[in-house]
Amino acid sequence: MEWSVILNKLAEGMVVSIVIFVLTLLLSLPLGLIVAFGRMSRNFLLRNFIKLYISIMRGTPLMLQLMVVYFGPYYVFRIRLPNEYRFIAVIIGFVINYAAYFAEIYRGGIESMPVGQYEAAYILGYSKTQTFMRIILPQVIKRILPSITNETITLVKDTSLAQVISVSEMFTQARAIASREASVLPFFAAGVFYYIFNYIVAFAMEWFEKKLSYFR
Amino acid sequence: MALLQINNMRKSFADLEVIKDITLKVNKGEVVAIIGPSGSGKSTLLRCATLLERMDSGELIYLDKKAAYTDDSGKAVYAPQEILKQVRGYFGLVFQSFNLFPHFSVIKNVTDALVIVQKKSKEEAYSIGRELLAKMGLSDKENAYPYQLSGGQQQRVSIARALALNPHILFFDEPTSALDPELTGEILKVIRDLAAEHMTMVIVTHEMNFARDVADRVIFMDDGVIVEEGTADQVINHPKQERTKAFLNRFNN
């Protein structure tokens, strides 16, 4: 097979990887914040339910979680889902897994905020929502950005786990070509692709961190 | 006219009774200094008065609004949130550690609540903010961020921030305690200027000379009670109570 064909196939896979990456981030970052609130809730049941959820998400392999989300509806409830569910299952699996990690990062950031910031806002008459959105959250984002960068870079590489339910992202493509050609080169090519992807991600995050360096 | 009336305030943390039946009235235009050893309850009194802490029992009245009263069972009952929100509009508080918003520029720190809470236009808020910054001698710092300022400058911004909302009473919780000694003077001068304009103020402070100069009334607190109260001359220069004398002696040595 020609190199151009190989690269074409890998690029096709990369588009799928990028879509998984972007959708996961877009959905799990806000969901993580909501989960963090549940984790910090004064309601005993809610707080412990969220604790259990986070502990399962962090304590079991993401690969297994993807399988449960994909195969679960059929094997547990005998529900037959259309073929498109394969991709949806990947997104659901990634989002609930990453939301759990992000939630703990948010919680760490929120709990590290000095109480004086809340008190100053309270005295000035800000509502609770205004206090959180205007005063607390912008400072939390700056504090947690390095941890978010870490997770984001892990996510780029984790997209390769989608192969476990046969979603043809980049790694699935590389493996298919490699077995057809009896060569390991497609894997190395995929490795380079992942590296470039992450280089761009790291560059973007660094730019964002710099943008937030106007305050301390 | 009384702007603030506190009746029989009590407050405990777990088993420790920090405020034991304190009654205090602040009239319009008055400058009240609260002095006393650390752990005497003066900061807690201020935090209860500013609604940062809830008292266990007692009455808290600002102007015409009753923020809290004691019910038949002896427990403090607070007014509904809408009333408390109005009450919070009556006073300002300057913190020991400034508590400026680090992600806001100086002018935004001073004007944000005007826009967000008082719903003033940005133009009006900025003109109020600039006037106050000029008064604080910080006109050239309008676009600076808090971390770029000295402690004294930060505290002046926080005073401007509190004044911007045009409070009836301004509370100060040890406003110079977090500052290097050479920076306390600039803050004390600002407070003196405000006193000259008859701003009503309640100041918890360790600066005895300052309290003597600026306060119309000095309150000496110890162990959760008001031990002695009177003019600065009466309390600081001619204390009657043994505990006051002992405290002031420790200060002078």
Side-chain angles (χ1 to χ4, degrees):
Chain A
M1 203 191 278
E2 287 286 324
W3 264 106
S4 64
V5 181
I6 293 176
L7 290 180
N8 245 330
K9 282 271 170 205
L10 284 179
E12 256 173 54
M14 186 159 185
V15 170
V16 177
S17 299
I18 291 173
V19 172
I20 296 173
F21 171 80
V22 170
L23 283 179
T24 302
L25 271 192
L26 282 181
L27 296 171
S28 64
L29 279 171
L31 181 64
L33 188 56
I34 296 167
V35 174
F37 282 127
R39 175 70 182 74
M40 294 183 291
S41 164
R42 258 174 252 158
N43 182 313
F44 178 86
L45 272 178
L46 178 62
R47 187 178 64 240
N48 282 283
F49 171 74
I50 296 289
K51 248 174 134 166
L52 179 68
Y53 150 68
I54 291 174
S55 134
I56 292 172
M57 288 299 132
R58 296 205 297 187
T60 60
L62 176 53
M63 192 186 274
L64 181 62
Q65 292 165 18
L66 290 172
M67 289 165 73
V68 168
V69 174
Y70 181 57
F71 296 115
Y74 179 73
Y75 285 102
V76 180
F77 305 107
R78 296 285 149 188
I79 303 168
R80 283 197 180 280
L81 288 161
N83 203 36
E84 292 80 62
Y85 180 64
R86 199 183 288 278
F87 185 75
I88 296 170
V90 166
I91 300 303
I92 294 174
F94 273 102
V95 168
I96 58 173
N97 178 279
Y98 272 81
Y101 280 95
F102 286 141
E104 286 297 86
I105 295 176
Y106 280 123
R107 182 171 72 92
I110 292 170
E111 288 180 348
S112 76
M113 285 296 296
V115 67
Q117 292 289 302
Y118 290 95
E119 291 184 343
Y122 177 78
I123 294 285
L124 293 170
Y126 289 83
S127 69
K128 284 213 162 102
T129 316
Q130 288 167 340
T131 302
F132 186 77
M133 298 307 287
R134 295 190 70 80
I135 310 299
I136 304 300
L137 189 58
Q139 298 183 59
V140 166
I141 289 174
K142 182 187 169 84
R143 283 172 189 226
I144 65 176
L145 210 53
S147 312
I148 297 283
T149 302
N150 249 335
E151 287 302 318
T152 309
I153 283 172
T154 304
L155 173 60
V156 169
K157 294 173 286 179
D158 274 357
T159 56
S160 64
L161 292 172
Q163 63 174 301
V164 73
I165 51 175
S166 306
V167 165
S168 48
E169 44 66 56
M170 186 158 52
F171 207 81
T172 318
Q173 295 280 17
R175 205 169 46 165
I177 306 164
S179 64
R180 201 178 316 132
E181 303 285 312
S183 157
V184 291
L185 281 178
F187 285 123
F188 286 108
V192 172
F193 270 56
Y194 280 114
Y195 182 77
I196 293 169
F197 190 170
N198 257 333
Y199 191 86
I200 295 165
V201 168
F203 183 82
M205 294 305 279
E206 205 176 304
W207 173 83
F208 196 41
E209 271 184 46
K210 253 192 213 128
K211 255 204 93 151
L212 287 180
S213 68
Y214 68 89
F215 73 90
R216 268 181 219 162
Chain B
M1 184 179 87
L3 292 186
L4 166 63
Q5 175 78 50
I6 295 170
N7 292 324
N8 309 101
M9 179 188 281
R10 285 178 186 277
K11 171 74 182 170
S12 302
F13 291 110
D15 287 339
L16 187 69
E17 201 176 13
V18 203
I19 305 278
K20 301 168 184 165
D21 196 20
I22 282 191
T23 294
L24 168 70
K25 188 168 120 178
V26 179
N27 289 316
K28 191 170 162 54
E30 223 184 349
V31 178
V32 177
I34 303 177
I35 59 172
S38 49
S40 59
K42 52 196 193 312
S43 276
T44 306
L45 170 64
L46 206 66
R47 290 176 60 81
C48 285
T50 52
L51 302 171
L52 288 176
E53 222 52 87
R54 298 221 156 180
M55 56 190 181
D56 300 329
S57 66
E59 236 182 353
L60 181 61
I61 305 160
Y62 279 95
L63 287 86
D64 54 333
K65 294 254 175 355
K66 201 170 258 193
Y69 64 94
T70 307
D71 68 5
D72 295 337
S73 69
K75 285 229 172 292
V77 179
Y78 279 81
Q81 279 305 322
E82 315 90 75
I83 306 284
L84 291 185
K85 195 174 159 106
Q86 291 173 353
V87 167
R88 276 187 288 157
Y90 289 166
F91 60 80
L93 170 59
V94 174
F95 296 87
Q96 181 178 346
S97 49
F98 330 138
N99 292 339
L100 291 177
F101 303 133
H103 59 307
F104 284 173
S105 65
V106 163
I107 187 77
K108 189 142 191 212
N109 261 287
V110 178
T111 57
D112 196 62
L114 281 171
V115 177
I116 298 301
V117 179
Q118 293 196 349
K119 312 282 179 208
K120 289 198 162 53
S121 71
K122 203 181 161 189
E123 291 71 33
E124 194 185 349
Y126 268 59
S127 95
I128 294 171
R130 293 205 168 104
E131 200 175 307
L132 283 165
L133 287 178
K135 195 168 153 186
M136 297 293 146
L138 291 169
S139 289
D140 55 330
K141 298 291 182 195
E142 156 175 340
N143 294 314
Y145 282 84
Y147 79 93
Q148 297 166 316
L149 305 179
S150 72
Q153 290 169 330
Q154 290 189 48
Q155 191 60 300
R156 279 184 279 155
V157 175
S158 93
I159 294 172
R161 178 175 74 170
L163 288 172
L165 297 173
N166 199 19
H168 293 283
I169 303 189
L170 193 49
F171 292 95
F172 292 83
D173 188 8
E174 302 189 19
T176 57
S177 293
L179 298 176
D180 292 335
E182 76 269 23
L183 297 178
T184 58
E186 57 187 88
I187 298 305
L188 300 182
K189 180 182 178 302
V190 166
I191 300 174
R192 278 197 185 94
D193 291 349
L194 289 172
E197 294 167 24
H198 305 292
M199 179 80 208
T200 312
M201 295 185 281
V202 177
I203 308 164
V204 169
T205 184
H206 287 298
E207 304 276 343
M208 289 310 136
N209 291 329
F210 168 68
R212 188 180 358 228
D213 290 354
V214 81
D216 301 310
R217 187 147 55 97
V218 173
I219 291 172
F220 171 68
M221 268 183 79
D222 191 17
D223 202 20
V225 296
I226 293 177
V227 176
E228 195 161 351
E229 183 174 357
T231 63
D233 185 58
Q234 286 167 343
V235 178
I236 297 178
N237 296 340
H238 307 97
K240 291 193 183 67
Q241 302 292 326
E242 281 311 314
R243 278 197 275 180
T244 319
K245 285 180 193 164
F247 172 73
L248 289 168
N249 263 332
R250 247 179 296 147
F251 240 92
N252 293 332
N253 297 331

